[in-house]
Amino acid sequence: MIIFGTKGYLYQLAILTLVCGSCGNPAAHTLRKRVTKFTLFFVPLFPISTKYATQCTFCGAEQKLTREQAEQLQSQAAAAAPTYGSPQQHPHP
């Protein structure tokens, strides 16, 4: 007997402040990645599908994105996020 199936994984990639296309409010949106993996004997082996979406924390509306759009939003979030504890460079006299 062979036991196989799929299992879904949800990853939160970033939190962004965007204007929601559904409710029109400037609110926090979570950027999420959903990966479905093929399992054999309950062991996840390889991804079957990967989907990206943002979800408004104000109204709960979800908007699907392409991989390129998600990567662009993630790089914008990384550039806007402050880096705490990073070494600062001081000019030498």
Side-chain angles (χ1 to χ4, degrees), residues 81-89:
T83 55
Y84 297 106
S86 63
Q88 296 180 357
Q89 295 181 355

Side-chain angles (χ1 to χ4, degrees), residues 16 18-32 53-63:
L16 307 152
L18 304 169
V19 176
C20 181
S22 182
C23 66
N25 288 311
H29 286 66
T30 55
L31 177 60
R32 296 179 176 171
T54 58
Q55 184 175 22
C56 177
T57 58
F58 188 81
C59 69
E62 190 171 285
Q63 181 180 355

Side-chain angles (χ1 to χ4, degrees), residues 41-89:
F41 294 106
F42 306 104
V43 177
L45 296 178
F46 54 87
I48 296 174
S49 78
T50 303
K51 297 179 182 177
Y52 298 90
T54 58
Q55 184 175 22
C56 177
T57 58
F58 188 81
C59 69
E62 190 171 285
Q63 181 180 355
K64 295 179 182 178
L65 302 172
T66 64
R67 179 180 177 180
E68 292 78 21
Q69 290 171 326
E71 288 173 352
Q72 184 180 15
L73 285 174
Q74 192 173 7
S75 65
Q76 288 175 2
T83 55
Y84 297 106
S86 63
Q88 296 180 357
Q89 295 181 355

